[in-house]
Amino acid sequence: MKRETKLMHYGRMPTPGPANPPVMRASTILHDTVASYKGTKLARESDDAVLSYGRRGTTTAHALAAAISDLEGGEACFLFPSGVAAVAGALAPFLGAGDHLLVVDTIFPATRTYCDTVLTRLGVTVDYFPWDTTDLGAYAKPNTKAVMVESPASQTYEVMDLPALCADAHARDLLVIADNTYGSGWLYRPLDLGCDVSVVAGTKYLGGHADVMMGAVAVKGRATAALRKHTHMTGQTIGPDDAYNCLRGIRTLGLRLERHEENGLALAKWLADRPEVASVVHPGLPGHAGGEIWKRDAMGCNGLFSVFFTEGFDAEGFVDRLSLFAIGSSWGGYESLAMPSNPEAGRQFPNTTRSGQMVRFHAGLEHIDDLIADMQASFDAATG
Ligand SMILES: *Cc1c(COP(=O)(O)O)cnc(C)c1O
């Protein structure tokens, strides 16, 4: 079955019944007999979708987890109350005092903060490596346990060669954990490319409407048992209302991403020709760092891209004058966004060939003509 069709059938209820798995609110699940109670406890050890206790999710969350697991090509999927909680929950099961973790330098900033504060306090040492690394020989140590990657890079979108990196990491007996929020199971599937664990902030494209916080960790192979155990022991769970909203967002994931990609590429190309713009970073633009790898490994681009304005151009003034692009963190909702940022801050291997103020844009689902007219008007007001 084509994946577009599957989006419409995830969590389908027995008929006659509702199209969507209803919001099931529950902590205690009641039984009539001791045998039934004991049977459920036993069954949930081998089946994540057994209704046993609210913390293990009800049918609403089970339907969402099964959908994300399928999107990501996982054996199992566990849900978390935010993307950052999912990142933490994907790393912690595999690390303890005395262990060493390798992290790609272009990682999402909150992941870096978690590694440099919480993990180091627990006795884990953390080192960073450049995004284009495919041989970890210069970075791995005898106590290295895992590698954390993100492709394309946070805010600057350099594309990693995940198949090559994973082959090298596995030869060294290291687990590879990927942050796949950019691809969100639709554009990119790290588990298919050799990664052991794939994290998605469902807050972004899965929810898709800027109204849900959610994180998911999909897993397959030898990492599965440890991840399942750690998730349960740390009490990670999501509410049924959030699960419902996220599954509702997933119905239109494919359609939305088609438009996000179309609008993002059109804006990126239009901006690249402007005299006020020094460079545009977008994995679908010719000459992009790792762009040929993205073509090989991915199924498309999302609505994100970043613009480096020429030295001296008032980029913040330009953003302030936009009316269809609101200023804000996060992305992946239906709306267009702009966020000034300094992506190289805190990186150990910063790209020093770029200068000028950077603005990260998210192309929403508006009509492209209106988005371009909005930018045109803001440029006109700057020079006129
Ligand atoms: C947003 C984001 C997260 C964190 O998700 P939250 O739901 O905001 O906690 C993690 N990784 C990446 C790449 C993100 O963009």
Side-chain angles (χ1 to χ4, degrees), residues 6-17:
K6 288 210 261 176
L7 290 182
M8 304 309 132
H9 291 263
Y10 287 138
R12 180 58 66 89
M13 302 295 290
T15 49

Side-chain angles (χ1 to χ4, degrees), residues 264-265 268-270 272 279-289 291 295 301 305:
L265 255 179
K269 287 177 180 161
W270 186 82
S279 62
V280 179
V281 286
H282 183 300
L285 284 186
H288 182 78
K295 257 195 203 91
C301 299
F305 61 93

Side-chain angles (χ1 to χ4, degrees), residues 17-366:
N20 294 294
V23 177
M24 183 195 276
R25 295 193 183 88
S27 53
T28 303
I29 301 300
L30 305 176
H31 298 262
D32 279 335
T33 65
V34 174
S36 164
Y37 176 73
K38 284 186 173 170
T40 298
K41 286 241 162 166
L42 192 67
R44 76 181 190 180
E45 295 312 310
S46 57
D47 183 352
D48 292 322
V50 168
L51 190 62
S52 68
Y53 181 53
R55 196 197 316 121
R56 297 281 187 112
T58 64
T59 49
T60 325
H62 295 159
L64 176 63
I68 300 173
S69 189
D70 188 65
L71 282 171
E72 287 279 327
E75 213 169 279
C77 174
F78 302 97
L79 303 176
F80 294 78
S82 72
V84 166
V87 167
L91 284 166
F94 309 109
L95 298 163
D99 290 341
H100 179 239
L101 170 70
L102 285 172
V103 181
V104 69
D105 193 40
T106 42
I107 198 83
F108 180 64
T111 301
R112 180 187 292 270
T113 304
Y114 172 76
C115 293
D116 290 347
T117 55
V118 180
L119 288 182
T120 53
R121 183 167 51 74
L122 296 178
V124 177
T125 52
V126 182
D127 280 309
Y128 293 85
F129 62 93
W131 65 270
D132 55 354
T133 303
T134 51
D135 177 351
L136 293 164
Y139 306 98
K141 297 177 178 180
N143 60 337
T144 309
K145 287 286 156 54
V147 187
M148 177 79 206
V149 299
E150 180 175 343
S151 178
S154 187
Q155 299 193 31
T156 48
Y157 311 111
E158 292 88 350
V159 181
M160 300 181 73
D161 190 339
L162 285 190
L165 184 77
C166 290
D168 183 73
H170 287 161
R172 300 174 195 281
D173 202 25
L174 311 179
L175 282 179
V176 184
I177 300 148
D179 186 328
N180 189 34
T181 302
Y182 183 102
S184 285
W186 192 255
L187 302 173
Y188 198 49
R189 304 219 311 174
L191 297 180
D192 289 351
L193 301 176
C195 296
D196 301 284
V197 180
S198 180
V199 182
V200 174
T203 309
K204 310 288 170 55
Y205 284 120
L206 298 184
H209 295 74
D211 56 3
V212 186
M213 297 301 299
M214 209 280 295
V217 182
V219 60
K220 70 176 190 188
R222 67 188 179 122
T224 306
L227 187 79
R228 174 180 288 116
K229 206 166 156 194
H230 188 272
T231 305
H232 292 327
M233 287 190 305
T234 51
Q236 292 289 358
T237 191
I238 69 167
D241 296 87
D242 291 337
Y244 181 92
N245 281 324
C246 197
L247 188 59
R248 173 193 264 240
I250 284 177
R251 305 291 178 205
T252 54
L253 180 67
L255 274 174
R256 284 185 286 111
L257 276 165
E258 270 179 35
R259 175 66 75 86
H260 284 298
E261 173 178 51
E262 208 178 290
N263 282 357
L265 255 179
L267 283 168
K269 287 177 180 161
W270 186 82
L271 281 159
D273 286 339
R274 293 288 312 188
E276 301 88 345
V277 169
S279 62
V280 179
V281 286
H282 183 300
L285 284 186
H288 182 78
E292 66 298 332
I293 298 172
W294 191 249
K295 257 195 203 91
R296 182 193 70 190
D297 292 346
M299 290 158 273
C301 299
N302 70 21
L304 288 171
F305 61 93
S306 295
V307 175
F308 290 82
F309 288 93
T310 51
E311 207 78 63
F313 178 74
D314 178 15
E316 294 188 0
F318 172 77
V319 168
D320 282 346
R321 286 189 302 274
L322 294 171
S323 60
L324 299 180
F325 294 78
I327 300 154
S329 315
S330 202
W331 45 271
Y334 55 85
E335 78 285 19
S336 288
L337 293 169
M339 182 194 76
S341 172
N342 177 7
E344 312 293 353
R347 288 184 180 173
Q348 279 179 16
F349 306 94
N351 180 337
T352 53
T353 67
R354 294 188 285 236
S355 60
Q357 173 68 56
M358 191 205 91
V359 178
R360 198 269 310 276
F361 290 95
H362 178 249
L365 303 177
E366 296 92 340

